[in-house]
Amino acid sequence: MKETLKKIKETALLELQSPECDTEQLRVRFLGKKGELTAVLRGMGALSPEERPIFGQLANEVRAEIEAALNAKMKEKKERALSEQLNREKLDVTMPGMPIRMGHQHPLTRVQREMENIFIGMGFQIAEGPEVEYDYYNFKALNIPENHPARDTQDTFYITDNILLRSQTSPVQVRVMEKQNPPIRVISPGRVYRSDALDATHSPLFQQMEGLVVDKGITMSDLKGTLETFAKKLFGESTSIRFRPHHFPFTEPSAEVDVSCFACGGKGCRVCKGEGWIEILGAGMVHPFVLENCGIDPEVYSGFAFGMGIERVAMKHYGIDDIRLFYENDERFLKQF
């Protein structure tokens, strides 16, 4: 048996010297439950009582030598694998880095921020509201009851009979007037939705910015002065505005507001279609019924409101003739801004 143990040890140590040896396979072969060393130990029953301790000690020494050699080999293989990995993944920190493409604001975001800054400079605050809105806030509170003809001009996305995607940001104004006592001076930018066919000038999704001022003694001249200041800041100091009579159910009196063409200065060109003026927004004095609906006494307070499409302003500002370009994510278009 001593010769057998010696042979097992020599064979195991010799095979462990090979760089490509499988250490797990060798462990099972020599030290496993069915391994060569275990098979020898099972034969100890045939030895005399005097021989068993001597043979047992020798077997333990052989096991210890094989285990030590196995552990050393596994450590060596791990270190070699780590070294090879480090060589494969070597990083030269002196090499120039990969260039990172820097993005920039979308033209609509840029125009919206510019518009917001102008109104903030005049003392306005930004108010926000839900895009999924109740019919009451989107229509009824704004003096547009059920079956009112004005509803026919806005093809609304209804979710239920009472819930819809807002077709304007005016509901934000109603919510502000319900919660805040005058004086009120807010703008409400945000996404709105109308069931319009997509073409060069219409989109079922677009951005809108509306404004509201409510206080004692507010008049049409305050509205005109505010919008004139806005137009001059956005389009240039030489810009003029004009009011044309119009009708909105939530304002009385109401007006369409034009700005002098910033491309030709009012002389007439392709941008303004020869008219010298560009329609930019709608405005008017807040209807007394709207104030009453929001719990504000129209005998004490008055106000004005206005609204404009941010896409329309951006199209006029940058000379863009197709609203779809804003939403197609074409880098050739976006890189120009």
Side-chain angles (χ1 to χ4, degrees), residues 114-115 117-124 221-241 243 257 259 281 304 306 308:
E114 189 174 351
M115 294 166 65
N117 288 335
I118 293 171
F119 285 113
I120 290 172
M122 290 190 281
F124 285 76
S221 63
D222 297 309
L223 170 61
K224 184 176 185 298
T226 299
L227 295 181
E228 193 167 43
T229 300
F230 165 73
K232 288 181 179 294
K233 291 289 186 181
L234 187 64
F235 299 113
E237 288 297 324
S238 61
T239 304
S240 301
I241 67 171
F243 281 37
V257 183
V259 297
L281 55 87
F304 65 76
F306 57 85
M308 67 195 89

Side-chain angles (χ1 to χ4, degrees), residues 224 228 231 238-244 256-280 316:
K224 184 176 185 298
E228 193 167 43
S238 61
T239 304
S240 301
I241 67 171
R242 73 174 182 183
F243 281 37
R244 290 181 288 107
E256 292 279 11
V257 183
D258 303 332
V259 297
S260 57
C261 180
F262 41 81
C264 66
K267 297 177 183 179
C269 67
R270 182 184 64 84
V271 175
C272 61
K273 298 179 181 178
E275 296 181 1
W277 296 91
I278 298 174
E279 179 187 335
I280 203 72
K316 301 301 182 184

Side-chain angles (χ1 to χ4, degrees), residues 130-165:
E131 295 178 20
V132 179
E133 189 56 276
Y134 289 107
D135 180 274
Y136 171 80
Y137 288 103
N138 198 77
F139 289 122
K140 190 173 182 180
L142 295 166
N143 198 34
I144 312 176
E146 192 174 352
N147 300 321
H148 192 285
R151 294 202 183 200
D152 296 335
T153 64
Q154 298 184 19
D155 296 324
T156 309
F157 289 105
Y158 277 92
I159 299 173
T160 68
D161 291 341
N162 190 42
I163 300 175
L164 47 83
L165 297 181

Side-chain angles (χ1 to χ4, degrees), residues 4-276:
T4 303
L5 289 175
K6 182 179 178 182
K7 185 177 180 181
I8 290 174
K9 181 180 75 170
E10 291 176 351
T11 303
L13 296 179
L14 179 63
E15 293 192 16
L16 282 171
Q17 292 179 8
S18 172
E20 306 301 326
C21 70
D22 187 332
T23 52
E24 179 61 20
Q25 186 180 31
L26 289 177
R27 185 192 67 78
V28 172
R29 175 183 164 189
F30 290 104
L31 305 180
K33 290 183 178 180
K34 297 181 180 180
E36 295 183 15
L37 182 60
T38 306
V40 173
L41 292 174
R42 287 188 183 132
M44 289 179 61
L47 298 176
S48 64
E50 293 81 10
E51 292 177 320
R52 287 176 190 170
I54 300 172
F55 182 77
Q57 182 180 356
L58 181 59
N60 288 334
E61 291 175 356
V62 170
R63 176 183 291 276
E65 287 189 53
I66 294 175
E67 285 180 344
L70 277 169
N71 291 335
K73 192 64 178 182
M74 287 189 288
K75 182 179 179 181
E76 177 189 334
K77 292 183 73 172
K78 285 181 180 179
E79 290 176 350
R80 185 167 65 248
L82 177 60
S83 177
E84 291 173 355
Q85 181 183 0
L86 291 175
N87 287 330
R88 283 196 311 270
E89 300 176 0
K90 186 182 295 183
L91 175 65
D92 185 353
V93 296
T94 65
M95 291 179 64
M98 298 292 291
I100 299 175
R101 296 175 61 193
M102 298 297 293
H104 58 75
Q105 289 184 335
H106 191 278
L108 289 180
T109 303
R110 180 173 294 181
V111 170
Q112 178 179 324
R113 296 289 184 266
E114 189 174 351
M115 294 166 65
E116 289 174 349
N117 288 335
I118 293 171
F119 285 113
I120 290 172
M122 290 190 281
F124 285 76
Q125 294 180 321
I126 297 176
E128 297 180 340
E131 295 178 20
V132 179
E133 189 56 276
Y134 289 107
D135 180 274
Y136 171 80
Y137 288 103
N138 198 77
F139 289 122
K140 190 173 182 180
L142 295 166
N143 198 34
I144 312 176
E146 192 174 352
N147 300 321
H148 192 285
R151 294 202 183 200
D152 296 335
T153 64
Q154 298 184 19
D155 296 324
T156 309
F157 289 105
Y158 277 92
I159 299 173
T160 68
D161 291 341
N162 190 42
I163 300 175
L164 47 83
L165 297 181
R166 67 182 182 188
S167 59
Q168 53 207 359
T169 58
S170 304
V172 179
Q173 300 178 14
V174 176
R175 291 178 177 274
V176 170
M177 286 189 284
E178 283 184 342
K179 297 177 180 179
Q180 180 179 334
N181 294 324
I184 296 171
R185 189 177 296 180
V186 296
I187 54 171
S188 51
R191 288 185 291 266
V192 298
Y193 306 85
R194 295 183 188 177
S195 184
D196 290 333
L198 183 63
D199 58 31
T201 57
H202 297 85
S203 171
L205 159 68
F206 58 98
Q207 318 285 322
Q208 196 175 55
M209 179 178 290
E210 298 194 14
L212 172 71
V213 172
V214 179
D215 203 351
K216 295 178 179 179
I218 298 297
T219 66
M220 199 77 169
S221 63
D222 297 309
L223 170 61
K224 184 176 185 298
T226 299
L227 295 181
E228 193 167 43
T229 300
F230 165 73
K232 288 181 179 294
K233 291 289 186 181
L234 187 64
F235 299 113
E237 288 297 324
S238 61
T239 304
S240 301
I241 67 171
R242 73 174 182 183
F243 281 37
R244 290 181 288 107
H246 196 71
H247 169 73
F248 298 113
F250 33 81
T251 54
E252 181 61 37
S254 304
E256 292 279 11
V257 183
D258 303 332
V259 297
S260 57
C261 180
F262 41 81
C264 66
K267 297 177 183 179
C269 67
R270 182 184 64 84
V271 175
C272 61
K273 298 179 181 178
E275 296 181 1

